[in-house]
Amino acid sequence: MNPKVTRRRFIKGVVASGAAATTTGMWYAANGQDRPGGAVERLIRINVNGQMRSVDVAPQETLAYTLRYKLGLTGTKLGCNRGECGACTVLVDDVATYACSVLTHSMKNARIETVEGLESPNGDLHPVQQAFVEELSPQCGYCTPGQVMAAVALLRENPNPTREEARHAMSGNICRCGSYDSYLDGVMRAVQLG
Amino acid sequence: MAYMHIGKDFVPPDVPGKVTGRIKYAEDYTREGMVYSRLLTSPIPHARVLDIDASEALAMDGVFGILTADDVYPDGEPQSTGLKILTNEPTLVGEPILALAAIDEKTAETAISRINVTFERLPFVLDPLDSLAEGGANAYPGDQNTFVFRQGFATEKWTEDQVASFRAGNEPTAEPQQTWSLGDLEAGFAASDFVYETTFTTAGYPHHSMEPRSAMAYWEDGKLYLHGTSQSLTALADGMAPIIGVPKKDIVFINAATGGGFGQRARANSIPSMAIPAKLSQKINRPVMMRITREEEFTIGGARQGFQGWIKVGFKPDGVMSACDLYIISDNGGKGGGGDASSAADCIDVLYQPDALRFRGTSIGSNTAHRGAQRGPGQNQIAPIIAPILDKAADALGISRLEIRKINAPRNGDVAGPRQTPFTSAYVPESLDMATQQFDWEGRQARRRQRNGSKVIGLGLGQGYHNAGRSGMDGIVTMGTDGRLKIHNGAGNLGTYSYASTSRAAAEVLKMPWENCDILNVRTDNHLPITSPQDGSNSIFTNTRTMFGAATDMLNKMKEIAATDLGGDPADYDVSNERVHQIADESIGYTYAEVAQRAMELGGKFTGEADMPEELAEWTQISVSRLAGSAFMGVYHDPRHEGNPPGFTVTCCEIELDLETGKYEILDMVTIAESGTIVHPQGMENQLVGGAVWGIGLSGYERHLYDPQNGLPASTGYWQSKVPTYLDTPVKIGTGWVDLPDPENPVGARGIGEPSMGAVSAALTAAITDALDGHHFATAPITADMIINHLAGTEENAAPLAQNNFRG
């Protein structure tokens, strides 16, 4: 700080941190966290990867937050936390869903699948995962779990898509590395792997 | 040349972790006792912090402390451009002012809302031309608007008439800050039969990598453990240590994977925010996690420099580019930028070899996101501007669009740039032939401008370039008595898999089966050598040299040990099947396990305890000293190479543009690399298709929007600065490569990451121009609304040459 500046020499611009917090508060709001003194967390049970999990959940808590920070399932990534990028895609009753954009409390009767739940009990990769390895589909890998889940959702709905159909089905998932071509190669190989 | 590993596909060891979600990025780690940091950032674009009252926040339960600029810069903030850890002199919205640590983010956020910061508001500016004009606001501290190397902050002003004349489309008349030239420009234009002149803009746009720059840090036994994000592991850690103020020997940087590199995670000074949890952790003696939001990532992550330029190009009757005159105002944003403008001129000189060229450039700050390295800085901005000009010249001179590019193409033995540096090798005509044949360029000419209802076909041909290789780094390989080869690779894992593909050069030298090799990377206490920052498409060239050299040192030591023990001269020995043996009688020799055992017994230079290269970097010396005596070791310092190792690309594309909507579909695209020997074909293909998507974004979508009234960024997310999606890119992109070795690299390799973008942007912009009967927007991006306005004859609601707003 400049000690020479006096109040006579400048236009005082007191920006209460309420203004500053409009920038930083986005995280706060997007994560569904309430301010202190707000609503309390409730213990609920949700079905994640075939297991019933008990977890304390705040009223506005997103599924992505619960999965990552309360259940330790960090394969689900947060790229934007506002439904733009798809990195947090999980399956809810077989439907590809942005986990950043649904509330955990709404998941009580749902079947949630994350990237951690795809491998077989003996450690074999899911055909989509195996195909993505063989085609070297990922680059930086941050969007990959979301891409995997979007592809799994597609192939459950349509086991034999055309490349064009796959392109449309995957279009809710951004890859900043631009590996779309390689992901589509992976989806088409996964069709062959069954 | 027949290789065992080079040129063959393999599964990089981190790929299974990426498809299963097991690989950890910085934010995925936790530590017992970890607390959370949140940032208070500047809500106004240009200000001075006069007072911070955090008393109420610090009195809250669960708050452990704050960190301010006064803490991190006790002797005052650096008086230069460049990102700071924290600042009391914010020059853009979102710049971190302070960090607060609390038991959880909820508490931290609430505490921040109770901090009162008193700002002195200062005038701000968003467009460099507005700042250049007399009376215009200045973006930097001390009411300055530019920074001159070795001189400091300065002010650059033009008369209002000069600015207005430039905006009106005329050649700038003011003195530039920087200039260089080659040949006789006047004579070049005099010899020209076709001269084209225009002003142009290219937009800055956010880096927007998928992983926000979160970081976690803790201190243990005097060492700092920093979980962060980077695209160059040891180069970044080497630079981060002095920023944090910790000796290099006492920092452990952990970075298994990085969610997107693209240039601005290559160097420590482009991510000084990682020092925040490190310093906060030191202050409060707890592990600190700093999660970064998408909005914060926009500010901390920075952006590409935007250009406001003027270009004049002349061509002789035979199609030779005889002269090019280029004047660029580059937007340095709020924290300084780079040398993009000069690189743009260099790129034109490389790709088109004009008889004469003049570059003039001036860099001006604006109170917008900081600018820095971003995939092909300069080379890629100019690519979509210059490509349609070549097409105009070809059409005017009656030369084919392919032929004019071949006439001007760089070849082996050519030189380019302000220092007239020779290429280490160059095969651009071969690349043009390969791309056009694979695409059937000639066969498709009949489709040019063909109409189908409201849709029209456009064809485009583009070229990309970036210098693609450095040298002077170090390499380390070790072998234990199990005979496995351990490759200590300081390269970062940014998604190119270069950490793995460059490691294969070491396996190649020792003819080692890949399954018997272990790559040591991920964390710097794996005793890693120094690498170059992995920007500038240099990883493959740079690190194959060091890996090859370190393995060759081990190979020579193997032969020396075998010859000493088993008789003969080292030259009488070779390696195969994990044995060092006599060439004449392969039964006489050692297995790798045995020779490693002998090395351990002999010690000294064989185990890194003596006779190490004197030129090793401090970072490498620390690693070698910690390894010394523990394993058989090969160590290498790479001498500097001669010449410019270039990366070249050529792209052909066909689009169908809808004249009613302004939207276009890319029907087909082929992109070809000329980057020496291909080390890892799948990795090369990924770089080509990834660069293609970036090129599509540059040409059609990505931009940098600010609210002109308050200086607030409006493109903090993926949809405002639209990153191309699956549906904006071709269904399938054809790829290929020339695959001719470069003599300055032991396996013949050069890099490709950056030019893969430029060629696509050039080709796509040329195709859009073609579909619109040659209308040259001279801007990037060209959005659908611009196309519609042009077709409707409607004037655009944007100032000419606007920057950080529509049309720039």
Side-chain angles (χ1 to χ4, degrees), chain A residues 13 17 24 34 68-69 77 82 84 119 139 147 180 182, chain B residues 18 22 27-28 39 106 115 295 686 717-719 724 726:
Chain A
S17 45
T24 53
D34 61 313
R68 282 186 58 80
Y69 306 127
K77 301 300 181 194
R82 57 189 196 188
E84 292 179 2
E119 286 172 84
Q139 291 193 35
Q147 304 275 0
Y180 300 127
S182 302
Chain B
K18 287 178 174 172
R22 285 202 193 93
E27 203 213 304
D28 297 335
L39 300 174
K106 181 165 57 178
I115 296 176
E295 294 79 10
N686 270 354
Y718 282 115
W719 69 272
Y726 278 95

PDB file of all heavy atoms in Angstrom, chain A residues 13 17 24 34 68-69 77 82 84 119 139 147 180 182, chain B residues 18 22 27-28 39 106 115 295 686 717-719 724 726:
ATOM      1  N   GLY A  13     -12.711   4.941  -3.224  1.00  0.00           N
ATOM      2  CA  GLY A  13     -13.527   3.893  -3.813  1.00  0.00           C
ATOM      3  C   GLY A  13     -13.619   2.729  -2.865  1.00  0.00           C
ATOM      4  O   GLY A  13     -12.915   1.748  -3.019  1.00  0.00           O
ATOM      5  N   SER A  17     -16.398  -5.645   0.554  1.00  0.00           N
ATOM      6  CA  SER A  17     -16.060  -6.943  -0.008  1.00  0.00           C
ATOM      7  C   SER A  17     -17.282  -7.689  -0.492  1.00  0.00           C
ATOM      8  O   SER A  17     -17.169  -8.681  -1.156  1.00  0.00           O
ATOM      9  CB  SER A  17     -15.284  -7.765   0.994  1.00  0.00           C
ATOM     10  OG  SER A  17     -15.917  -7.657   2.234  1.00  0.00           O
ATOM     11  N   THR A  24     -15.932 -14.058  -6.157  1.00  0.00           N
ATOM     12  CA  THR A  24     -15.521 -15.293  -5.512  1.00  0.00           C
ATOM     13  C   THR A  24     -16.704 -16.143  -5.088  1.00  0.00           C
ATOM     14  O   THR A  24     -16.590 -17.353  -4.984  1.00  0.00           O
ATOM     15  CB  THR A  24     -14.672 -14.972  -4.270  1.00  0.00           C
ATOM     16  OG1 THR A  24     -15.406 -14.079  -3.461  1.00  0.00           O
ATOM     17  CG2 THR A  24     -13.353 -14.351  -4.653  1.00  0.00           C
ATOM     18  N   ASP A  34     -24.449 -23.517   1.819  1.00  0.00           N
ATOM     19  CA  ASP A  34     -25.174 -22.423   2.443  1.00  0.00           C
ATOM     20  C   ASP A  34     -24.246 -21.638   3.342  1.00  0.00           C
ATOM     21  O   ASP A  34     -23.195 -22.118   3.753  1.00  0.00           O
ATOM     22  CB  ASP A  34     -26.345 -22.973   3.275  1.00  0.00           C
ATOM     23  CG  ASP A  34     -25.848 -23.882   4.372  1.00  0.00           C
ATOM     24  OD1 ASP A  34     -25.008 -24.746   4.058  1.00  0.00           O
ATOM     25  OD2 ASP A  34     -26.269 -23.723   5.510  1.00  0.00           O
ATOM     26  N   ARG A  68     -17.232 -36.028  -5.076  1.00  0.00           N
ATOM     27  CA  ARG A  68     -15.800 -35.724  -4.998  1.00  0.00           C
ATOM     28  C   ARG A  68     -15.324 -35.538  -3.560  1.00  0.00           C
ATOM     29  O   ARG A  68     -14.309 -36.108  -3.155  1.00  0.00           O
ATOM     30  CB  ARG A  68     -15.483 -34.440  -5.776  1.00  0.00           C
ATOM     31  CG  ARG A  68     -15.417 -34.603  -7.279  1.00  0.00           C
ATOM     32  CD  ARG A  68     -14.940 -33.295  -7.927  1.00  0.00           C
ATOM     33  NE  ARG A  68     -13.643 -32.882  -7.436  1.00  0.00           N
ATOM     34  CZ  ARG A  68     -12.487 -33.389  -7.852  1.00  0.00           C
ATOM     35  NH1 ARG A  68     -12.470 -34.331  -8.776  1.00  0.00           N
ATOM     36  NH2 ARG A  68     -11.342 -32.959  -7.345  1.00  0.00           N
ATOM     37  N   TYR A  69     -16.058 -34.732  -2.812  1.00  0.00           N
ATOM     38  CA  TYR A  69     -15.508 -34.271  -1.542  1.00  0.00           C
ATOM     39  C   TYR A  69     -16.049 -35.006  -0.324  1.00  0.00           C
ATOM     40  O   TYR A  69     -15.494 -34.880   0.760  1.00  0.00           O
ATOM     41  CB  TYR A  69     -15.726 -32.760  -1.406  1.00  0.00           C
ATOM     42  CG  TYR A  69     -15.186 -31.989  -2.586  1.00  0.00           C
ATOM     43  CD1 TYR A  69     -15.969 -31.095  -3.299  1.00  0.00           C
ATOM     44  CD2 TYR A  69     -13.875 -32.195  -3.026  1.00  0.00           C
ATOM     45  CE1 TYR A  69     -15.471 -30.414  -4.404  1.00  0.00           C
ATOM     46  CE2 TYR A  69     -13.373 -31.528  -4.126  1.00  0.00           C
ATOM     47  CZ  TYR A  69     -14.172 -30.643  -4.813  1.00  0.00           C
ATOM     48  OH  TYR A  69     -13.671 -29.985  -5.908  1.00  0.00           O
ATOM     49  N   LYS A  77     -14.818 -35.074 -12.511  1.00  0.00           N
ATOM     50  CA  LYS A  77     -14.054 -33.821 -12.501  1.00  0.00           C
ATOM     51  C   LYS A  77     -14.973 -32.607 -12.556  1.00  0.00           C
ATOM     52  O   LYS A  77     -16.069 -32.672 -13.137  1.00  0.00           O
ATOM     53  CB  LYS A  77     -13.108 -33.764 -13.708  1.00  0.00           C
ATOM     54  CG  LYS A  77     -12.112 -34.908 -13.771  1.00  0.00           C
ATOM     55  CD  LYS A  77     -11.221 -34.937 -12.540  1.00  0.00           C
ATOM     56  CE  LYS A  77     -10.212 -36.057 -12.613  1.00  0.00           C
ATOM     57  NZ  LYS A  77      -9.583 -36.309 -11.297  1.00  0.00           N
ATOM     58  N   ARG A  82     -20.747 -25.424 -13.828  1.00  0.00           N
ATOM     59  CA  ARG A  82     -21.974 -24.705 -14.179  1.00  0.00           C
ATOM     60  C   ARG A  82     -22.583 -25.233 -15.474  1.00  0.00           C
ATOM     61  O   ARG A  82     -23.155 -24.479 -16.242  1.00  0.00           O
ATOM     62  CB  ARG A  82     -21.720 -23.212 -14.260  1.00  0.00           C
ATOM     63  CG  ARG A  82     -20.643 -22.789 -15.235  1.00  0.00           C
ATOM     64  CD  ARG A  82     -20.344 -21.320 -15.039  1.00  0.00           C
ATOM     65  NE  ARG A  82     -19.617 -20.786 -16.177  1.00  0.00           N
ATOM     66  CZ  ARG A  82     -19.096 -19.568 -16.210  1.00  0.00           C
ATOM     67  NH1 ARG A  82     -19.206 -18.778 -15.170  1.00  0.00           N
ATOM     68  NH2 ARG A  82     -18.455 -19.136 -17.269  1.00  0.00           N
ATOM     69  N   GLU A  84     -21.440 -26.380 -18.375  1.00  0.00           N
ATOM     70  CA  GLU A  84     -20.970 -26.009 -19.710  1.00  0.00           C
ATOM     71  C   GLU A  84     -20.054 -27.047 -20.336  1.00  0.00           C
ATOM     72  O   GLU A  84     -19.988 -27.146 -21.559  1.00  0.00           O
ATOM     73  CB  GLU A  84     -20.196 -24.689 -19.654  1.00  0.00           C
ATOM     74  CG  GLU A  84     -21.037 -23.487 -19.327  1.00  0.00           C
ATOM     75  CD  GLU A  84     -20.207 -22.214 -19.260  1.00  0.00           C
ATOM     76  OE1 GLU A  84     -18.991 -22.270 -19.507  1.00  0.00           O
ATOM     77  OE2 GLU A  84     -20.783 -21.166 -18.951  1.00  0.00           O
ATOM     78  N   GLU A 119     -15.286 -50.602 -14.082  1.00  0.00           N
ATOM     79  CA  GLU A 119     -14.448 -51.793 -14.205  1.00  0.00           C
ATOM     80  C   GLU A 119     -15.166 -53.006 -13.615  1.00  0.00           C
ATOM     81  O   GLU A 119     -15.948 -52.887 -12.676  1.00  0.00           O
ATOM     82  CB  GLU A 119     -13.122 -51.590 -13.474  1.00  0.00           C
ATOM     83  CG  GLU A 119     -12.165 -50.658 -14.184  1.00  0.00           C
ATOM     84  CD  GLU A 119     -10.961 -50.358 -13.319  1.00  0.00           C
ATOM     85  OE1 GLU A 119     -10.024 -51.161 -13.340  1.00  0.00           O
ATOM     86  OE2 GLU A 119     -10.978 -49.320 -12.618  1.00  0.00           O
ATOM     87  N   GLN A 139      -6.162 -36.881 -24.171  1.00  0.00           N
ATOM     88  CA  GLN A 139      -4.903 -36.136 -24.177  1.00  0.00           C
ATOM     89  C   GLN A 139      -4.603 -35.765 -22.727  1.00  0.00           C
ATOM     90  O   GLN A 139      -4.087 -36.586 -21.995  1.00  0.00           O
ATOM     91  CB  GLN A 139      -4.975 -34.935 -25.130  1.00  0.00           C
ATOM     92  CG  GLN A 139      -5.023 -35.389 -26.604  1.00  0.00           C
ATOM     93  CD  GLN A 139      -4.789 -34.274 -27.587  1.00  0.00           C
ATOM     94  OE1 GLN A 139      -4.010 -33.357 -27.356  1.00  0.00           O
ATOM     95  NE2 GLN A 139      -5.467 -34.349 -28.737  1.00  0.00           N
ATOM     96  N   GLN A 147     -16.174 -38.020 -20.725  1.00  0.00           N
ATOM     97  CA  GLN A 147     -16.322 -38.573 -22.082  1.00  0.00           C
ATOM     98  C   GLN A 147     -16.648 -40.068 -21.993  1.00  0.00           C
ATOM     99  O   GLN A 147     -17.480 -40.580 -22.759  1.00  0.00           O
ATOM    100  CB  GLN A 147     -15.022 -38.378 -22.881  1.00  0.00           C
ATOM    101  CG  GLN A 147     -14.528 -36.939 -22.970  1.00  0.00           C
ATOM    102  CD  GLN A 147     -15.154 -36.128 -24.090  1.00  0.00           C
ATOM    103  OE1 GLN A 147     -15.998 -36.629 -24.841  1.00  0.00           O
ATOM    104  NE2 GLN A 147     -14.759 -34.875 -24.206  1.00  0.00           N
ATOM    105  N   TYR A 180     -11.544 -34.734 -29.993  1.00  0.00           N
ATOM    106  CA  TYR A 180     -12.848 -35.285 -30.409  1.00  0.00           C
ATOM    107  C   TYR A 180     -12.694 -36.445 -31.383  1.00  0.00           C
ATOM    108  O   TYR A 180     -13.384 -37.462 -31.286  1.00  0.00           O
ATOM    109  CB  TYR A 180     -13.705 -34.196 -31.051  1.00  0.00           C
ATOM    110  CG  TYR A 180     -14.002 -33.018 -30.158  1.00  0.00           C
ATOM    111  CD1 TYR A 180     -13.744 -31.717 -30.561  1.00  0.00           C
ATOM    112  CD2 TYR A 180     -14.551 -33.206 -28.889  1.00  0.00           C
ATOM    113  CE1 TYR A 180     -14.022 -30.627 -29.738  1.00  0.00           C
ATOM    114  CE2 TYR A 180     -14.833 -32.125 -28.064  1.00  0.00           C
ATOM    115  CZ  TYR A 180     -14.568 -30.835 -28.491  1.00  0.00           C
ATOM    116  OH  TYR A 180     -14.838 -29.766 -27.674  1.00  0.00           O
ATOM    117  N   SER A 182     -10.285 -38.515 -31.747  1.00  0.00           N
ATOM    118  CA  SER A 182      -9.777 -39.715 -31.079  1.00  0.00           C
ATOM    119  C   SER A 182     -10.832 -40.329 -30.157  1.00  0.00           C
ATOM    120  O   SER A 182     -10.900 -41.553 -30.006  1.00  0.00           O
ATOM    121  CB  SER A 182      -8.513 -39.379 -30.279  1.00  0.00           C
ATOM    122  OG  SER A 182      -7.540 -38.830 -31.134  1.00  0.00           O
TER     123      SER A 182
ATOM    124  N   LYS B  18      -6.218 -42.394 -16.710  1.00  0.00           N
ATOM    125  CA  LYS B  18      -7.104 -41.344 -17.234  1.00  0.00           C
ATOM    126  C   LYS B  18      -8.490 -41.890 -17.561  1.00  0.00           C
ATOM    127  O   LYS B  18      -9.487 -41.203 -17.369  1.00  0.00           O
ATOM    128  CB  LYS B  18      -6.467 -40.695 -18.466  1.00  0.00           C
ATOM    129  CG  LYS B  18      -5.295 -39.781 -18.113  1.00  0.00           C
ATOM    130  CD  LYS B  18      -4.627 -39.169 -19.322  1.00  0.00           C
ATOM    131  CE  LYS B  18      -3.562 -38.168 -18.880  1.00  0.00           C
ATOM    132  NZ  LYS B  18      -2.737 -37.679 -20.007  1.00  0.00           N
ATOM    133  N   ARG B  22      -8.459 -42.725 -12.038  1.00  0.00           N
ATOM    134  CA  ARG B  22      -7.555 -42.924 -10.899  1.00  0.00           C
ATOM    135  C   ARG B  22      -6.411 -41.908 -10.862  1.00  0.00           C
ATOM    136  O   ARG B  22      -5.887 -41.616  -9.795  1.00  0.00           O
ATOM    137  CB  ARG B  22      -6.947 -44.338 -10.959  1.00  0.00           C
ATOM    138  CG  ARG B  22      -7.905 -45.421 -10.548  1.00  0.00           C
ATOM    139  CD  ARG B  22      -7.158 -46.681 -10.105  1.00  0.00           C
ATOM    140  NE  ARG B  22      -8.094 -47.776 -10.006  1.00  0.00           N
ATOM    141  CZ  ARG B  22      -8.345 -48.622 -10.986  1.00  0.00           C
ATOM    142  NH1 ARG B  22      -7.687 -48.520 -12.129  1.00  0.00           N
ATOM    143  NH2 ARG B  22      -9.230 -49.588 -10.842  1.00  0.00           N
ATOM    144  N   GLU B  27      -6.141 -31.030  -7.502  1.00  0.00           N
ATOM    145  CA  GLU B  27      -7.263 -30.846  -6.583  1.00  0.00           C
ATOM    146  C   GLU B  27      -7.753 -32.163  -6.010  1.00  0.00           C
ATOM    147  O   GLU B  27      -8.588 -32.173  -5.093  1.00  0.00           O
ATOM    148  CB  GLU B  27      -8.407 -30.122  -7.312  1.00  0.00           C
ATOM    149  CG  GLU B  27      -9.335 -29.410  -6.363  1.00  0.00           C
ATOM    150  CD  GLU B  27     -10.759 -29.394  -6.852  1.00  0.00           C
ATOM    151  OE1 GLU B  27     -10.994 -28.920  -7.974  1.00  0.00           O
ATOM    152  OE2 GLU B  27     -11.635 -29.876  -6.111  1.00  0.00           O
ATOM    153  N   ASP B  28      -7.274 -33.284  -6.543  1.00  0.00           N
ATOM    154  CA  ASP B  28      -7.757 -34.583  -6.073  1.00  0.00           C
ATOM    155  C   ASP B  28      -7.043 -35.059  -4.810  1.00  0.00           C
ATOM    156  O   ASP B  28      -7.401 -36.086  -4.244  1.00  0.00           O
ATOM    157  CB  ASP B  28      -7.572 -35.634  -7.175  1.00  0.00           C
ATOM    158  CG  ASP B  28      -8.397 -35.316  -8.411  1.00  0.00           C
ATOM    159  OD1 ASP B  28      -9.419 -34.619  -8.274  1.00  0.00           O
ATOM    160  OD2 ASP B  28      -8.013 -35.749  -9.508  1.00  0.00           O
ATOM    161  N   LEU B  39      -9.886 -16.761  -2.413  1.00  0.00           N
ATOM    162  CA  LEU B  39      -9.251 -15.527  -2.840  1.00  0.00           C
ATOM    163  C   LEU B  39     -10.232 -14.365  -2.787  1.00  0.00           C
ATOM    164  O   LEU B  39     -11.410 -14.524  -3.125  1.00  0.00           O
ATOM    165  CB  LEU B  39      -8.741 -15.656  -4.280  1.00  0.00           C
ATOM    166  CG  LEU B  39      -7.697 -16.747  -4.536  1.00  0.00           C
ATOM    167  CD1 LEU B  39      -7.419 -16.836  -6.035  1.00  0.00           C
ATOM    168  CD2 LEU B  39      -6.411 -16.454  -3.773  1.00  0.00           C
ATOM    169  N   LYS B 106     -16.729 -22.754   2.970  1.00  0.00           N
ATOM    170  CA  LYS B 106     -17.892 -21.980   3.392  1.00  0.00           C
ATOM    171  C   LYS B 106     -17.460 -20.888   4.367  1.00  0.00           C
ATOM    172  O   LYS B 106     -17.805 -19.713   4.208  1.00  0.00           O
ATOM    173  CB  LYS B 106     -18.897 -22.945   4.053  1.00  0.00           C
ATOM    174  CG  LYS B 106     -20.164 -22.315   4.533  1.00  0.00           C
ATOM    175  CD  LYS B 106     -21.222 -23.371   4.822  1.00  0.00           C
ATOM    176  CE  LYS B 106     -20.790 -24.429   5.822  1.00  0.00           C
ATOM    177  NZ  LYS B 106     -21.862 -25.397   6.108  1.00  0.00           N
ATOM    178  N   ILE B 115     -14.376  -8.841   4.949  1.00  0.00           N
ATOM    179  CA  ILE B 115     -13.165  -8.025   4.813  1.00  0.00           C
ATOM    180  C   ILE B 115     -13.511  -6.766   4.034  1.00  0.00           C
ATOM    181  O   ILE B 115     -14.151  -6.834   2.983  1.00  0.00           O
ATOM    182  CB  ILE B 115     -12.048  -8.812   4.087  1.00  0.00           C
ATOM    183  CG1 ILE B 115     -11.617 -10.023   4.929  1.00  0.00           C
ATOM    184  CG2 ILE B 115     -10.853  -7.907   3.793  1.00  0.00           C
ATOM    185  CD1 ILE B 115     -10.602 -10.911   4.253  1.00  0.00           C
ATOM    186  N   GLU B 295     -14.342 -19.115 -13.181  1.00  0.00           N
ATOM    187  CA  GLU B 295     -14.233 -17.671 -13.326  1.00  0.00           C
ATOM    188  C   GLU B 295     -12.824 -17.202 -12.952  1.00  0.00           C
ATOM    189  O   GLU B 295     -12.233 -16.348 -13.610  1.00  0.00           O
ATOM    190  CB  GLU B 295     -15.260 -16.949 -12.441  1.00  0.00           C
ATOM    191  CG  GLU B 295     -16.701 -17.174 -12.846  1.00  0.00           C
ATOM    192  CD  GLU B 295     -17.246 -18.520 -12.389  1.00  0.00           C
ATOM    193  OE1 GLU B 295     -16.577 -19.213 -11.601  1.00  0.00           O
ATOM    194  OE2 GLU B 295     -18.343 -18.890 -12.829  1.00  0.00           O
ATOM    195  N   ASN B 686      -2.947 -37.228 -32.391  1.00  0.00           N
ATOM    196  CA  ASN B 686      -3.643 -36.422 -31.386  1.00  0.00           C
ATOM    197  C   ASN B 686      -3.258 -34.953 -31.485  1.00  0.00           C
ATOM    198  O   ASN B 686      -4.098 -34.057 -31.335  1.00  0.00           O
ATOM    199  CB  ASN B 686      -3.324 -36.932 -29.975  1.00  0.00           C
ATOM    200  CG  ASN B 686      -4.306 -37.999 -29.514  1.00  0.00           C
ATOM    201  OD1 ASN B 686      -5.281 -38.287 -30.196  1.00  0.00           O
ATOM    202  ND2 ASN B 686      -4.037 -38.593 -28.374  1.00  0.00           N
ATOM    203  N   GLY B 717     -16.513 -18.026 -19.348  1.00  0.00           N
ATOM    204  CA  GLY B 717     -16.930 -19.427 -19.453  1.00  0.00           C
ATOM    205  C   GLY B 717     -16.745 -19.969 -20.845  1.00  0.00           C
ATOM    206  O   GLY B 717     -16.292 -19.281 -21.760  1.00  0.00           O
ATOM    207  N   TYR B 718     -17.133 -21.227 -20.983  1.00  0.00           N
ATOM    208  CA  TYR B 718     -16.906 -21.914 -22.252  1.00  0.00           C
ATOM    209  C   TYR B 718     -17.881 -21.491 -23.339  1.00  0.00           C
ATOM    210  O   TYR B 718     -17.627 -21.722 -24.502  1.00  0.00           O
ATOM    211  CB  TYR B 718     -17.007 -23.426 -22.053  1.00  0.00           C
ATOM    212  CG  TYR B 718     -15.785 -24.031 -21.439  1.00  0.00           C
ATOM    213  CD1 TYR B 718     -15.820 -24.623 -20.187  1.00  0.00           C
ATOM    214  CD2 TYR B 718     -14.574 -24.021 -22.113  1.00  0.00           C
ATOM    215  CE1 TYR B 718     -14.694 -25.176 -19.623  1.00  0.00           C
ATOM    216  CE2 TYR B 718     -13.439 -24.564 -21.562  1.00  0.00           C
ATOM    217  CZ  TYR B 718     -13.506 -25.146 -20.317  1.00  0.00           C
ATOM    218  OH  TYR B 718     -12.380 -25.692 -19.771  1.00  0.00           O
ATOM    219  N   TRP B 719     -18.990 -20.959 -22.964  1.00  0.00           N
ATOM    220  CA  TRP B 719     -19.940 -20.635 -24.028  1.00  0.00           C
ATOM    221  C   TRP B 719     -19.816 -19.205 -24.511  1.00  0.00           C
ATOM    222  O   TRP B 719     -20.124 -18.906 -25.647  1.00  0.00           O
ATOM    223  CB  TRP B 719     -21.384 -20.962 -23.624  1.00  0.00           C
ATOM    224  CG  TRP B 719     -21.966 -20.090 -22.556  1.00  0.00           C
ATOM    225  CD1 TRP B 719     -21.879 -20.281 -21.218  1.00  0.00           C
ATOM    226  CD2 TRP B 719     -22.710 -18.890 -22.747  1.00  0.00           C
ATOM    227  NE1 TRP B 719     -22.522 -19.270 -20.553  1.00  0.00           N
ATOM    228  CE2 TRP B 719     -23.048 -18.407 -21.470  1.00  0.00           C
ATOM    229  CE3 TRP B 719     -23.135 -18.186 -23.856  1.00  0.00           C
ATOM    230  CZ2 TRP B 719     -23.773 -17.241 -21.288  1.00  0.00           C
ATOM    231  CZ3 TRP B 719     -23.866 -17.011 -23.673  1.00  0.00           C
ATOM    232  CH2 TRP B 719     -24.180 -16.565 -22.392  1.00  0.00           C
ATOM    233  N   PRO B 724     -14.672 -24.810 -29.574  1.00  0.00           N
ATOM    234  CA  PRO B 724     -15.361 -25.703 -30.506  1.00  0.00           C
ATOM    235  C   PRO B 724     -15.778 -27.012 -29.831  1.00  0.00           C
ATOM    236  O   PRO B 724     -15.066 -27.540 -28.971  1.00  0.00           O
ATOM    237  CB  PRO B 724     -14.307 -25.960 -31.591  1.00  0.00           C
ATOM    238  CG  PRO B 724     -13.397 -24.784 -31.528  1.00  0.00           C
ATOM    239  CD  PRO B 724     -13.356 -24.387 -30.084  1.00  0.00           C
ATOM    240  N   TYR B 726     -17.808 -31.047 -30.443  1.00  0.00           N
ATOM    241  CA  TYR B 726     -17.874 -32.122 -31.439  1.00  0.00           C
ATOM    242  C   TYR B 726     -18.579 -31.648 -32.707  1.00  0.00           C
ATOM    243  O   TYR B 726     -18.221 -32.041 -33.808  1.00  0.00           O
ATOM    244  CB  TYR B 726     -18.673 -33.304 -30.878  1.00  0.00           C
ATOM    245  CG  TYR B 726     -17.914 -34.253 -29.982  1.00  0.00           C
ATOM    246  CD1 TYR B 726     -17.939 -34.097 -28.598  1.00  0.00           C
ATOM    247  CD2 TYR B 726     -17.207 -35.332 -30.503  1.00  0.00           C
ATOM    248  CE1 TYR B 726     -17.283 -34.986 -27.764  1.00  0.00           C
ATOM    249  CE2 TYR B 726     -16.539 -36.231 -29.684  1.00  0.00           C
ATOM    250  CZ  TYR B 726     -16.588 -36.051 -28.313  1.00  0.00           C
ATOM    251  OH  TYR B 726     -15.920 -36.934 -27.492  1.00  0.00           O
TER     252      TYR B 726
END
